[in-house]
């Protein structure tokens, strides 16, 4: 009689962010069953040779439904308004198949870049109806073998100013929407927009993830109203604001007050470096502002934060590869992060976004799903410094991709 070995798979000599020396990681039935310096067991082995194992990257904010649109619109988009109008015009012609194909392209790039969890924003309004939602639901199902996809449904073009949008949003929440978003700055009544989004969030018991603001004018904002509603509804830890570029325009004393307000009300901030750097500061003729909120500094002051992809190859951001290694490096570079802050920058695309999404089973720890990606480097800070290749990825213990290290052919 043969007995099943204690592990189905062992990763040997894995560097992890939490252990000083390489460890072995034993996997059983798709879960991490043991982590120790040397696991004794005869089973399938993968020797990582001291390379870094991470539990995968977590992208809290991406738009699969409007990705890969370059080539469909004929001109350069120089402002946020231009970009929204350009996508709005194209959106009417989106079909389920079209959204699915473009979304699949981005998901596959994200998978081979080491992303294992993702929250996509999905536009819901009378132009697109529920077609994008239908496509993204299919993507969630079809790529579940490699990536956990969560759907945040939101009215990109407003509620009070867009008749029919609310009914569609409710339909989306009844049929696949797992988080609700909003976009108060495009609404004719921003405070009513925010209140209605929170009403629906409570009614459907879902978290909130808002596109809060997207300019560098600190003379007005909706952050205070979001914090107020979060406290009123007892939604501490369940609310995120995206972009929040205004925070980058605040002088130190006002930033300190805003940071304390966000920390106290439990409102998280997602910074989207590629889009923020591309669209902000367009009015400047010289000394162009970065328009990038300093997420890792907010984290040091008690605010939950993530850095995420946002748009890929569309009028909002005409480049993108869905790589969070690249995004964290771009953020660190633009945010003046020093070497001793690189670990904090890596946190912004791993542990912190997992907590922001209230994921309870993320991380290289016994009992969690064996979601493991292997990078061609040996430490967390070097991920930011070197932009290493992501060599292989596993979802629930099953290998989902592998990339060969380059070979040099010396003369
Ligand atoms: Zn966005």
């Amino acid at each position: 009689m043969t007995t099943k070995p204690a592990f189905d798979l062992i990763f040997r000599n894995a560097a992890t962010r939490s252990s000083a020396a390489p460890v072995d990681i034993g996997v059983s039935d798709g879960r991490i069953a043991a982590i120790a310096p040397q696991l004794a067991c005869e089973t399938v082995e993968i020797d990582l040779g001291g390379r870094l194992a991470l539990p995968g990257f977590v992208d809290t904010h991406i738009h699969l439904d409007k990705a890969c649109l370059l080539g469909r619109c004929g001109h350069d988009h120089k402002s946020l308004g231009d970009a929204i109008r350009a996508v709005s015009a194209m959106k009417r012609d989106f079909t389920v198949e079209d959204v699915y194909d473009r979304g699949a392209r981005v998901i596959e790039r994200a998978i081979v870049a080491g992303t294992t969890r993702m929250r996509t924003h999905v536009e819901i309004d009378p132009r697109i109806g529920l077609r994008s939602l239908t496509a993204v639901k299919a993507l969630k199902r079809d790529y579940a073998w490699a990536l956990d996809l969560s759907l945040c449904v939101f009215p990109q073009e407003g509620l009070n100013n867009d008749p029919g949008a609310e009914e569609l949003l409710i339909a989306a929440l009844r049929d696949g929407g797992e988080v609700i978003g909003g976009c108060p700055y495009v609404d004719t009544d921003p405070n009513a927009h925010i209140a209605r989004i929170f009403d629906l969030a409570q009614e459907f018991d879902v978290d909130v993830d808002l596109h809060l603001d997207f300019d560098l004018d600190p003379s007005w904002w909706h952050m205070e109203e979001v914090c107020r509603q979060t406290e009123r509804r007892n939604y501490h830890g369940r609310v995120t604001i995206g972009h929040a570029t205004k925070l980058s325009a605040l002088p130190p004393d006002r930033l300190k007050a805003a940071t304390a307000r966000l920390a106290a009300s439990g409102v998280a901030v997602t910074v989207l470096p590629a889009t923020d750097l591309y669209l902000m500061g367009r009015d400047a003729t010289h000394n162009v502002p970065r328009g990038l909120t300093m997420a890792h500094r907010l984290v040091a002051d008690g605010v939950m934060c993530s850095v995420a992809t946002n748009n890929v190859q569309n009028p909002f951001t005409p480049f993108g590869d869905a790589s969070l290694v690249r995004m964290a490096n771009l953020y660190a570079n633009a945010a003046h992060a020093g070497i001793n802050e690189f670990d904090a920058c890596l946190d912004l695309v791993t542990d912190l976004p997992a907590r922001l999404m209230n994921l309870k089973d993320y991380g290289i720890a016994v009992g969690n799903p064996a979601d493991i990606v292997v990078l061609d480097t040996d430490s967390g800070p070097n991920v930011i410094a070197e932009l290493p290749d992501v060599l292989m990825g596993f979802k629930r213990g099953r290998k989902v991709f592998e990339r060969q290290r380059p070979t040099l052919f010396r003369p």
Side-chain angles (χ1 to χ4, degrees):
M1 186 180 121
T2 55
T3 53
K4 185 176 174 296
F7 307 112
D8 307 317
L9 168 67
I10 294 178
F11 295 96
R12 300 276 185 204
N13 302 307
T16 67
R17 296 184 72 196
S18 56
S19 57
V23 291
D24 290 354
I25 302 168
V27 175
S28 179
D29 293 327
R31 292 194 173 269
I32 296 171
I35 302 171
Q38 282 184 325
L39 293 173
C41 180
E42 295 257 324
T43 188
V44 180
E45 295 188 1
I46 298 173
D47 190 347
L48 301 190
R51 290 192 185 82
L52 181 67
L54 294 177
F57 297 98
V58 184
D59 206 333
T60 65
H61 188 132
I62 190 167
H63 295 265
L64 294 175
D65 55 347
K66 57 186 176 194
C68 304
L69 290 172
L70 296 187
R72 275 190 211 193
C73 38
H75 68 285
D76 262 354
H77 306 283
K78 296 205 164 28
S79 71
L80 173 66
D82 279 353
I84 291 178
R85 278 187 290 279
V87 173
S88 179
M90 285 185 277
K91 184 158 63 172
R92 294 171 197 276
D93 298 326
F94 288 179
T95 63
V96 174
E97 296 72 26
D98 170 40
V99 174
Y100 183 97
D101 289 347
R102 287 184 288 104
R105 239 184 288 164
V106 176
I107 285 182
E108 290 181 17
R109 290 296 297 270
I111 291 167
V112 300
T115 298
T116 51
R117 321 258 183 142
M118 178 184 277
R119 174 185 285 175
T120 185
H121 288 258
V122 186
E123 296 190 17
I124 306 289
D125 63 50
R127 286 150 220 88
I128 184 66
L130 299 173
R131 297 195 299 284
S132 289
L133 180 69
T134 301
V136 174
K137 277 165 55 186
L139 290 169
K140 176 186 169 98
R141 180 194 66 215
D142 293 351
Y143 286 93
W145 54 274
L147 176 136
D148 297 334
L149 186 60
S150 169
L151 278 50
C152 174
V153 293
F154 86 113
Q156 165 80 72
E157 309 202 26
L159 274 182
N160 299 288
N161 52 312
D162 200 16
E166 183 173 323
E167 291 74 11
L168 285 163
L169 194 57
I170 291 168
L173 286 164
R174 288 203 178 111
D175 189 24
E178 297 158 280
V179 177
I180 187 167
C183 202
Y185 65 83
V186 299
D187 203 300
T188 42
D189 190 343
N191 282 0
H193 182 110
I194 293 167
R196 191 67 194 123
I197 295 300
F198 273 92
D199 288 344
L200 291 170
Q202 284 188 300
E203 191 181 326
F204 287 90
D205 190 22
V206 293
D207 292 357
V208 174
D209 195 338
L210 300 161
H211 284 72
L212 189 72
D213 63 50
F214 209 168
D215 64 75
L216 302 181
D217 177 2
S219 67
W220 62 273
W221 65 6
H222 306 304
M223 193 200 87
E224 176 54 38
E225 180 62 12
V226 172
C227 292
R228 201 179 69 79
Q229 291 283 2
T230 301
E231 286 168 344
R232 206 187 119 202
R233 320 277 182 146
N234 199 19
Y235 247 52
H236 187 282
R238 300 189 69 181
V239 177
T240 301
I241 55 176
H243 296 289
T245 47
K246 284 177 189 287
L247 289 170
S248 75
L250 294 180
D253 54 332
R254 285 189 62 193
L255 179 62
K256 196 174 173 198
T259 303
R261 187 77 181 98
L262 289 164
S265 56
V267 172
V269 175
T270 295
V271 172
L272 304 158
T275 306
D276 295 348
L277 287 166
Y278 181 68
L279 286 179
M280 293 296 95
R282 291 281 174 148
D283 303 338
T285 56
H286 58 290
N287 280 342
V288 180
R290 285 165 156 80
L292 192 71
T293 289
M294 299 288 107
H296 69 293
R297 305 246 170 93
L298 294 184
V299 170
D301 289 328
V303 181
M304 176 65 71
C305 291
S306 68
V307 159
T309 297
N310 198 37
N311 282 298
V312 175
Q313 299 176 34
N314 73 7
F316 294 86
T317 318
F319 15 66
D321 56 2
S323 162
L324 286 176
V325 171
R326 191 181 65 81
M327 197 54 64
N329 168 277
L330 177 66
Y331 167 81
N333 205 154
H336 292 148
I339 294 171
N340 60 357
E341 296 172 306
F342 285 3
D343 251 324
C345 292
L346 183 57
D347 288 343
L348 288 165
V349 291
T350 53
D351 297 42
L352 295 174
R355 282 166 55 197
L356 181 151
M357 287 177 66
N358 289 311
L359 302 175
K360 306 289 185 220
D361 59 355
Y362 173 85
I364 296 183
V366 171
N368 281 348
D371 294 356
I372 288 172
V373 300
V374 179
L375 288 92
D376 196 8
T377 190
D378 59 359
S379 76
N382 281 345
V383 175
I384 303 300
E386 297 174 352
L387 288 94
D389 285 342
V390 184
L391 294 177
M392 58 182 98
F394 294 76
K395 188 70 177 162
R396 293 179 284 277
R398 179 185 169 274
K399 188 187 277 185
V400 296
F401 76 92
E402 183 165 11
R403 178 182 282 115
Q404 296 303 316
R405 300 186 76 210
T407 307
L408 287 177
F409 298 100
R410 297 183 190 282

